[in-house]
Amino acid sequence: MSATPTFWFPVKKYGWGWGLPVRWQGWVVFVAYLVLILFGMYHFLPERNALALFAYICGMTVLLTAIVVVKGERPVAWRWGGK
């Protein structure tokens, strides 16, 4: 068995949710998300079309969350670290 995890996003040590990626595929998704957000900020200028920018960022965030849910570790409960 390999010691490398098969999931792309681990659960956080404290709290609920996911942390930064642990595999290269997760980093590609994370960087692509950031690049697409920057593209959206350039394409949908907030001064002229704030609602379109908001909808675009919401859509990208929903897409990222869906990928993390599918490819990440399952957070089953609130985590308290080593306790």
Side-chain angles (χ1 to χ4, degrees), residues 8 21-29:
W8 297 357
V22 293
R23 307 252 343 224
W24 69 267
Q25 296 95 332
W27 281 107
V28 168
V29 169

Side-chain angles (χ1 to χ4, degrees), residues 18 33 36:
W18 298 272
Y33 170 77
L36 287 170

Side-chain angles (χ1 to χ4, degrees), residues 7-82:
F7 51 83
W8 297 357
F9 301 90
V11 294
K12 293 181 357 182
K13 186 174 182 179
Y14 298 100
W16 192 90
W18 298 272
L20 290 174
V22 293
R23 307 252 343 224
W24 69 267
Q25 296 95 332
W27 281 107
V28 168
V29 169
F30 186 68
V31 169
Y33 170 77
L34 294 177
V35 167
L36 287 170
I37 293 297
L38 290 174
F39 168 77
M41 291 175 71
Y42 174 75
H43 186 68
F44 303 107
L45 295 175
E47 301 85 27
R48 290 203 256 152
N49 209 349
L51 186 59
L53 176 62
F54 179 74
Y56 177 79
I57 290 175
C58 286
M60 291 294 104
T61 303
V62 166
L63 181 62
L64 174 67
T65 303
I67 292 170
V68 170
V69 166
V70 170
K71 294 306 224 173
E73 223 179 338
R74 299 286 180 249
V76 292
W78 190 273
R79 294 174 56 127
W80 297 98

